Amino acid sequence: MAKKTNKGQLTNNIRRLRFDHDEMSQKALAEKVGVSRQTIVAIEAAKYSPSLELAFQIAHAFETPIEEVFGYIPPPPE
Amino acid sequence: MSYHERNIVTYLISGIIVMTIYSFYMLDLYQAGLLDGPDAGIELGWSALKLIGGSIIVTVVISVLVSIANAIITKESDFDKADERDKLIDLVGMKVGFITFSIFFVTGMIWLALGAPMQYILLGSIYAMFFASLIEGATRLVLYRRGF
C-alpha cells in the first residue's frame, strides 16, 4: 500500500509481513504495538502515517528492520 | 464502527436530543415574554444550568444504552484506549470546532455592536457552542472514515 503526499510516496509491507508471520491478525499486531485495530487498518491502507516511535514498534513486532516495513519514494525532480 | 466512532455518534445524538428539548423550552419562555422582560438574564442563566445538567444525564443514559446494545449485537464489550491516531483526530476536531465557534462568536459581537439585545446574543452563544460541537463531531467522524 502507498500513500501519495506532496513530498513523495509512503509505502508499507505490513500486509505481506503479517502473512509471513503465521498470518498474524490485525488485532494481534495492534495488541503487540499498543494501538487500536482501526489504527493498524489505517496504516496498512496508507490512510495514516504512524509516528516514528510506532513505526519502530511495528518493525520490532515483526523482528525486522524498519526499512523492510516502511518505504519512501521521493517525488520526481521538477 | 470502532469504540471511538461510536462515542462520537453517542455525543452527537445526545447533543441533538438535549438541544431539541432546550429549544422547545426556550420557545415557551419566548412566547411567555420572559426573554424580553427585566428578568431575562435570570431566566437565561437558569436555562443554561438546566441545559448543562440535562446534557450530563442524557449523555450518560445514551452512552449506557448504546454500550448495552453494542454488547448484545456484537457480543463484545470493547474499550479501546486512545492511541496516537485518536489523539490527532481529536486535536483536528477540536481545532475545527474552535474555529467554528469563533466565527459564530464574532458574528454575534457584530450583531451586538449593531444593537441586537444582549439576551439573544447570549442565547445565540449557547447555540453556537452546540453547532461547534456538532461540526467537531462530524469532522472527527469524517477523519475516521476517510483516513488520517
Short mmCIF file of all heavy atoms in Angstrom, two decimals, chain B residues 104-141:
data_model
loop_
_atom_site.label_atom_id
_atom_site.label_comp_id
_atom_site.label_asym_id
_atom_site.label_seq_id
_atom_site.Cartn_x
_atom_site.Cartn_y
_atom_site.Cartn_z
N PHE B 104 -18.93 32.08 14.80
CA PHE B 104 -20.25 32.42 15.38
C PHE B 104 -20.10 33.56 16.38
O PHE B 104 -20.93 34.47 16.45
CB PHE B 104 -20.86 31.20 16.07
CG PHE B 104 -21.52 30.23 15.12
CD1 PHE B 104 -21.11 28.91 15.08
CD2 PHE B 104 -22.57 30.63 14.30
CE1 PHE B 104 -21.71 28.00 14.22
CE2 PHE B 104 -23.18 29.72 13.44
CZ PHE B 104 -22.75 28.41 13.41
N PHE B 105 -19.05 33.50 17.21
CA PHE B 105 -18.85 34.49 18.27
C PHE B 105 -18.64 35.88 17.68
O PHE B 105 -19.25 36.85 18.12
CB PHE B 105 -17.65 34.08 19.13
CG PHE B 105 -17.45 34.96 20.33
CD1 PHE B 105 -18.26 34.83 21.45
CD2 PHE B 105 -16.46 35.93 20.33
CE1 PHE B 105 -18.07 35.66 22.55
CE2 PHE B 105 -16.27 36.75 21.43
CZ PHE B 105 -17.09 36.62 22.54
N VAL B 106 -17.79 35.96 16.67
CA VAL B 106 -17.52 37.25 16.03
C VAL B 106 -18.79 37.80 15.38
O VAL B 106 -19.11 38.98 15.49
CB VAL B 106 -16.37 37.13 15.00
CG1 VAL B 106 -16.23 38.40 14.18
CG2 VAL B 106 -15.06 36.82 15.70
N THR B 107 -19.56 36.87 14.73
CA THR B 107 -20.84 37.29 14.13
C THR B 107 -21.76 37.86 15.21
O THR B 107 -22.41 38.89 15.02
CB THR B 107 -21.52 36.08 13.44
OG1 THR B 107 -20.57 35.46 12.57
CG2 THR B 107 -22.73 36.50 12.64
N GLY B 108 -21.80 37.19 16.37
CA GLY B 108 -22.62 37.66 17.50
C GLY B 108 -22.19 39.04 17.97
O GLY B 108 -23.02 39.90 18.27
N MET B 109 -20.88 39.24 18.05
CA MET B 109 -20.37 40.54 18.51
C MET B 109 -20.72 41.65 17.52
O MET B 109 -21.02 42.78 17.92
CB MET B 109 -18.84 40.47 18.68
CG MET B 109 -18.37 39.61 19.84
SD MET B 109 -19.07 40.15 21.42
CE MET B 109 -20.18 38.80 21.77
N ILE B 110 -20.73 41.29 16.22
CA ILE B 110 -21.10 42.29 15.21
C ILE B 110 -22.57 42.68 15.39
O ILE B 110 -22.94 43.85 15.38
CB ILE B 110 -20.82 41.75 13.78
CG1 ILE B 110 -19.31 41.62 13.56
CG2 ILE B 110 -21.43 42.66 12.71
CD1 ILE B 110 -18.91 40.86 12.32
N TRP B 111 -23.41 41.64 15.62
CA TRP B 111 -24.84 41.90 15.86
C TRP B 111 -25.04 42.77 17.09
O TRP B 111 -25.86 43.67 17.10
CB TRP B 111 -25.58 40.56 16.05
CG TRP B 111 -26.16 40.02 14.79
CD1 TRP B 111 -25.96 40.47 13.52
CD2 TRP B 111 -27.05 38.91 14.69
NE1 TRP B 111 -26.63 39.70 12.63
CE2 TRP B 111 -27.32 38.73 13.31
CE3 TRP B 111 -27.61 38.03 15.60
CZ2 TRP B 111 -28.15 37.72 12.85
CZ3 TRP B 111 -28.44 37.02 15.14
CH2 TRP B 111 -28.71 36.87 13.77
N LEU B 112 -24.26 42.45 18.14
CA LEU B 112 -24.35 43.21 19.39
C LEU B 112 -23.98 44.67 19.12
O LEU B 112 -24.64 45.59 19.60
CB LEU B 112 -23.40 42.60 20.41
CG LEU B 112 -23.63 42.92 21.89
CD1 LEU B 112 -25.03 42.50 22.32
CD2 LEU B 112 -22.60 42.21 22.75
N ALA B 113 -22.93 44.86 18.34
CA ALA B 113 -22.48 46.22 18.01
C ALA B 113 -23.54 46.96 17.18
O ALA B 113 -23.64 48.19 17.25
CB ALA B 113 -21.17 46.15 17.24
N LEU B 114 -24.34 46.19 16.44
CA LEU B 114 -25.38 46.82 15.62
C LEU B 114 -26.67 47.04 16.41
O LEU B 114 -27.67 47.48 15.84
CB LEU B 114 -25.66 45.96 14.38
CG LEU B 114 -24.51 45.88 13.36
CD1 LEU B 114 -24.84 44.90 12.24
CD2 LEU B 114 -24.21 47.26 12.76
N GLY B 115 -26.65 46.66 17.69
CA GLY B 115 -27.80 46.97 18.55
C GLY B 115 -28.70 45.81 18.89
O GLY B 115 -29.80 46.02 19.41
N ALA B 116 -28.29 44.58 18.63
CA ALA B 116 -29.13 43.41 18.99
C ALA B 116 -29.19 43.28 20.51
O ALA B 116 -28.22 43.62 21.20
CB ALA B 116 -28.54 42.16 18.37
N PRO B 117 -30.34 42.80 21.04
CA PRO B 117 -30.45 42.66 22.51
C PRO B 117 -29.44 41.64 23.05
O PRO B 117 -29.22 40.60 22.44
CB PRO B 117 -31.89 42.16 22.72
CG PRO B 117 -32.58 42.33 21.42
CD PRO B 117 -31.55 42.36 20.36
N MET B 118 -28.90 41.97 24.22
CA MET B 118 -27.86 41.15 24.85
C MET B 118 -28.32 39.71 25.07
O MET B 118 -27.57 38.76 24.84
CB MET B 118 -27.48 41.80 26.19
CG MET B 118 -26.49 41.03 26.99
SD MET B 118 -24.84 41.25 26.36
CE MET B 118 -24.31 42.61 27.35
N GLN B 119 -29.60 39.52 25.55
CA GLN B 119 -30.05 38.17 25.90
C GLN B 119 -30.10 37.25 24.68
O GLN B 119 -29.85 36.05 24.79
CB GLN B 119 -31.41 38.19 26.63
CG GLN B 119 -32.57 38.77 25.87
CD GLN B 119 -32.73 40.25 26.15
OE1 GLN B 119 -31.76 40.96 26.35
NE2 GLN B 119 -33.98 40.71 26.16
N TYR B 120 -30.37 37.81 23.50
CA TYR B 120 -30.43 36.98 22.30
C TYR B 120 -29.03 36.59 21.83
O TYR B 120 -28.81 35.50 21.29
CB TYR B 120 -31.22 37.68 21.19
CG TYR B 120 -32.69 37.75 21.51
CD1 TYR B 120 -33.30 38.96 21.84
CD2 TYR B 120 -33.46 36.60 21.54
CE1 TYR B 120 -34.64 39.02 22.18
CE2 TYR B 120 -34.80 36.65 21.88
CZ TYR B 120 -35.38 37.86 22.20
OH TYR B 120 -36.71 37.90 22.56
N ILE B 121 -28.09 37.48 22.08
CA ILE B 121 -26.70 37.16 21.73
C ILE B 121 -26.18 36.06 22.66
O ILE B 121 -25.49 35.12 22.23
CB ILE B 121 -25.79 38.42 21.84
CG1 ILE B 121 -26.27 39.49 20.86
CG2 ILE B 121 -24.33 38.06 21.56
CD1 ILE B 121 -26.28 39.07 19.40
N LEU B 122 -26.58 36.15 23.94
CA LEU B 122 -26.19 35.11 24.92
C LEU B 122 -26.79 33.76 24.51
O LEU B 122 -26.11 32.72 24.52
CB LEU B 122 -26.69 35.53 26.30
CG LEU B 122 -26.06 34.84 27.50
CD1 LEU B 122 -24.56 35.11 27.54
CD2 LEU B 122 -26.70 35.33 28.79
N LEU B 123 -28.07 33.80 24.13
CA LEU B 123 -28.74 32.58 23.67
C LEU B 123 -28.06 32.05 22.41
O LEU B 123 -27.83 30.84 22.26
CB LEU B 123 -30.22 32.89 23.40
CG LEU B 123 -31.14 31.71 23.10
CD1 LEU B 123 -31.16 30.74 24.26
CD2 LEU B 123 -32.55 32.21 22.82
N GLY B 124 -27.71 32.98 21.52
CA GLY B 124 -27.00 32.59 20.29
C GLY B 124 -25.67 31.94 20.60
O GLY B 124 -25.25 31.00 19.90
N SER B 125 -25.00 32.40 21.65
CA SER B 125 -23.71 31.80 22.04
C SER B 125 -23.88 30.34 22.46
O SER B 125 -23.03 29.50 22.16
CB SER B 125 -23.07 32.58 23.19
OG SER B 125 -22.85 33.88 22.79
N ILE B 126 -24.99 30.06 23.17
CA ILE B 126 -25.26 28.68 23.57
C ILE B 126 -25.46 27.80 22.33
O ILE B 126 -24.90 26.71 22.23
CB ILE B 126 -26.51 28.62 24.51
CG1 ILE B 126 -26.18 29.32 25.83
CG2 ILE B 126 -26.95 27.18 24.75
CD1 ILE B 126 -27.37 29.52 26.74
N TYR B 127 -26.22 28.31 21.36
CA TYR B 127 -26.42 27.56 20.12
C TYR B 127 -25.12 27.45 19.32
O TYR B 127 -24.87 26.43 18.67
CB TYR B 127 -27.53 28.20 19.28
CG TYR B 127 -28.91 27.77 19.73
CD1 TYR B 127 -29.64 28.56 20.62
CD2 TYR B 127 -29.45 26.56 19.32
CE1 TYR B 127 -30.88 28.16 21.07
CE2 TYR B 127 -30.68 26.14 19.76
CZ TYR B 127 -31.40 26.95 20.64
OH TYR B 127 -32.63 26.53 21.09
N ALA B 128 -24.30 28.50 19.40
CA ALA B 128 -23.00 28.46 18.69
C ALA B 128 -22.13 27.33 19.24
O ALA B 128 -21.47 26.61 18.48
CB ALA B 128 -22.29 29.80 18.84
N MET B 129 -22.16 27.18 20.58
CA MET B 129 -21.39 26.08 21.19
C MET B 129 -21.90 24.73 20.72
O MET B 129 -21.13 23.82 20.43
CB MET B 129 -21.48 26.17 22.72
CG MET B 129 -20.50 27.13 23.33
SD MET B 129 -20.51 27.02 25.10
CE MET B 129 -21.41 28.48 25.51
N PHE B 130 -23.24 24.63 20.61
CA PHE B 130 -23.85 23.37 20.15
C PHE B 130 -23.44 23.06 18.71
O PHE B 130 -22.97 21.96 18.40
CB PHE B 130 -25.37 23.46 20.29
CG PHE B 130 -26.11 22.38 19.56
CD1 PHE B 130 -25.97 21.05 19.93
CD2 PHE B 130 -26.95 22.68 18.50
CE1 PHE B 130 -26.64 20.04 19.26
CE2 PHE B 130 -27.63 21.69 17.82
CZ PHE B 130 -27.47 20.36 18.20
N PHE B 131 -23.56 24.07 17.83
CA PHE B 131 -23.20 23.84 16.43
C PHE B 131 -21.71 23.55 16.28
O PHE B 131 -21.31 22.71 15.46
CB PHE B 131 -23.63 25.02 15.56
CG PHE B 131 -25.09 25.05 15.28
CD1 PHE B 131 -25.88 26.11 15.71
CD2 PHE B 131 -25.71 24.00 14.60
CE1 PHE B 131 -27.25 26.12 15.48
CE2 PHE B 131 -27.08 24.01 14.37
CZ PHE B 131 -27.86 25.08 14.81
N ALA B 132 -20.89 24.23 17.09
CA ALA B 132 -19.44 23.99 17.03
C ALA B 132 -19.14 22.54 17.43
O ALA B 132 -18.31 21.87 16.81
CB ALA B 132 -18.71 24.96 17.94
N SER B 133 -19.85 22.03 18.47
CA SER B 133 -19.61 20.65 18.89
C SER B 133 -20.13 19.66 17.85
O SER B 133 -19.55 18.59 17.65
CB SER B 133 -20.20 20.38 20.27
OG SER B 133 -21.59 20.35 20.19
N LEU B 134 -21.24 20.03 17.17
CA LEU B 134 -21.75 19.17 16.09
C LEU B 134 -20.71 19.07 14.97
O LEU B 134 -20.42 17.97 14.47
CB LEU B 134 -23.02 19.77 15.48
CG LEU B 134 -24.38 19.39 16.05
CD1 LEU B 134 -25.48 19.91 15.14
CD2 LEU B 134 -24.53 17.90 16.24
N ILE B 135 -20.16 20.20 14.59
CA ILE B 135 -19.18 20.23 13.49
C ILE B 135 -17.90 19.51 13.92
O ILE B 135 -17.28 18.80 13.13
CB ILE B 135 -18.93 21.67 13.02
CG1 ILE B 135 -20.20 22.15 12.31
CG2 ILE B 135 -17.72 21.78 12.12
CD1 ILE B 135 -20.20 23.50 11.74
N GLU B 136 -17.52 19.68 15.18
CA GLU B 136 -16.35 18.97 15.70
C GLU B 136 -16.55 17.45 15.60
O GLU B 136 -15.68 16.72 15.10
CB GLU B 136 -16.11 19.36 17.17
CG GLU B 136 -14.92 18.66 17.78
CD GLU B 136 -14.80 18.89 19.28
OE1 GLU B 136 -15.25 19.95 19.77
OE2 GLU B 136 -14.24 18.01 19.95
N GLY B 137 -17.72 16.99 16.04
CA GLY B 137 -18.01 15.55 15.97
C GLY B 137 -18.04 15.04 14.55
O GLY B 137 -17.49 13.99 14.23
N ALA B 138 -18.69 15.82 13.67
CA ALA B 138 -18.78 15.42 12.26
C ALA B 138 -17.38 15.35 11.64
O ALA B 138 -17.07 14.42 10.88
CB ALA B 138 -19.66 16.40 11.50
N THR B 139 -16.53 16.32 11.98
CA THR B 139 -15.16 16.33 11.44
C THR B 139 -14.40 15.08 11.88
O THR B 139 -13.72 14.43 11.07
CB THR B 139 -14.40 17.58 11.96
OG1 THR B 139 -15.15 18.73 11.61
CG2 THR B 139 -13.01 17.68 11.37
N ARG B 140 -14.54 14.75 13.17
CA ARG B 140 -13.85 13.56 13.68
C ARG B 140 -14.34 12.30 12.99
O ARG B 140 -13.55 11.42 12.64
CB ARG B 140 -14.01 13.47 15.20
CG ARG B 140 -13.19 14.54 15.92
CD ARG B 140 -13.64 14.74 17.33
NE ARG B 140 -13.40 13.55 18.15
CZ ARG B 140 -13.95 13.36 19.35
NH1 ARG B 140 -14.77 14.25 19.85
NH2 ARG B 140 -13.66 12.29 20.04
N LEU B 141 -15.67 12.23 12.78
CA LEU B 141 -16.23 11.05 12.09
C LEU B 141 -15.68 10.94 10.68
O LEU B 141 -15.29 9.85 10.23
CB LEU B 141 -17.75 11.15 12.04
CG LEU B 141 -18.55 10.53 13.17
CD1 LEU B 141 -20.03 10.64 12.88
CD2 LEU B 141 -18.16 9.07 13.41
#
